[in-house]
Amino acid sequence: MASPLLIAPSILAADFARLGEQIRQAEAAGADQIHIDVMDGRFVPNITMGPLAVEAARRVTSLPLDVHLMIVHPEDHIQPFAKAGANIISVHVETCPHLHRTVQQIREAGARPSVVLNPGTPAVAVKEILPFVDMVLVMTVNPGFGGQAFIPQMLGKISEIRAMLDALGSSADIQVDGGIDVTTAPQVVRHGANVLVAGTAIFRAPEGIVAATQALREAAQ
Ligand code: DX5
Ligand code: ZN
């Protein structure tokens, strides 16, 4: 089942003093969703944004807000993020001993559930949850910071998950996050990914946000 190619600019690399304007530019360039990286200084070394940032983004765009929770105990924070306007909520399997319950909680809160795998976590860790999720996020760098180099060994994991979804007859999305640019985008798409997160390649591009978003889409097609 072919899933549509979606571009999800990550505002982690945006200029926070001009965040609203930059989100609008990404939308004008044809971005499909806005990726918001939530980090707690515990699960990952960095600290970033919370529900307030999601609520602020909600006021400047009607695009789906794709919230990537890199926090311990994400189950304690689903409601505030959903209320702030998150449309998709991604939780790391490494942080969820009761993954099925957390996924249900996300759906009950009115958002689309997604599960995330760190580079060191095998594809099989999401096998049992696949029938219950709308998206799987395969990290192509270690979470925590933007601007890191793509880990090519993750390509095989993307193919494995696409094969598992096909076997189930599921059209769930496969998102990739970390080091995605015009060179790596065609590779991940060829292996079965269809939602591309990009921070540096979009918000730090010398040619500007609009041209960079369009270039990424063209490279991936
Ligand atoms: C990393 C974050 C990413 C980050 C990607 O922990 O999850 O979303 O913004 O940044 P780039 O595209 O610069 O690798
Ligand atoms: Zn992310």
Side-chain angles (χ1 to χ4, degrees):
M1 244 170 288
S3 310
L5 176 73
L6 304 175
I7 306 288
S10 164
I11 61 170
L12 188 64
D15 176 352
F16 274 56
R18 298 191 299 137
L19 188 56
E21 185 194 318
Q22 296 208 332
I23 291 175
R24 286 198 189 96
Q25 277 186 45
E27 180 165 1
D32 299 286
Q33 57 200 44
I34 300 295
H35 186 83
I36 302 179
D37 287 305
V38 177
M39 306 186 190
D40 66 353
R42 301 286 302 277
F43 176 60
V44 292
N46 200 2
I47 299 180
T48 58
M49 321 163 228
L52 263 180
V54 176
E55 192 267 328
R58 182 73 298 157
R59 281 187 276 123
V60 298
T61 182
S62 54
L63 289 179
L65 300 179
D66 156 32
V67 176
H68 177 189
L69 296 181
M70 287 161 274
I71 61 176
V72 297
H73 297 298
E75 67 280 4
D76 295 344
H77 302 276
I78 303 300
Q79 271 295 338
F81 281 105
K83 255 185 124 174
N87 302 94
I88 302 163
I89 297 180
S90 296
V91 292
H92 274 257
V93 301
E94 301 86 3
T95 63
C96 294
H98 303 287
L99 186 58
H100 181 266
R101 182 184 293 153
T102 306
V103 160
Q104 277 181 311
Q105 232 183 303
I106 295 170
R107 220 180 267 289
E108 279 159 19
R112 300 172 61 206
S114 156
V115 289
V116 195
L117 293 166
N118 273 341
T121 307
V124 69
V126 290
K127 184 168 184 282
E128 301 302 328
I129 204 70
L130 290 181
F132 305 96
V133 298
D134 292 354
M135 185 167 86
V136 178
L137 165 50
V138 177
M139 290 307 299
T140 42
V141 298
N142 284 294
F145 300 94
Q148 302 180 79
F150 177 80
I151 304 173
Q153 287 81 359
M154 296 302 110
L155 291 170
K157 196 196 298 193
I158 298 166
S159 305
E160 259 184 88
I161 293 170
R162 182 53 75 195
M164 285 193 238
L165 289 170
D166 285 349
L168 285 173
S170 166
S171 57
D173 292 313
I174 298 183
Q175 185 177 61
V176 283
D177 184 5
I180 302 300
D181 58 19
V182 291
T183 305
T184 55
Q187 302 172 24
V188 293
V189 167
R190 218 178 308 124
H191 285 79
N194 70 298
V195 186
L196 310 183
V197 174
T200 307
I202 288 180
F203 288 106
R204 304 272 169 101
E207 68 269 36
I209 295 168
V210 173
T213 305
Q214 289 165 352
L216 191 63
R217 187 183 295 281
E218 268 166 41
Q221 272 161 354

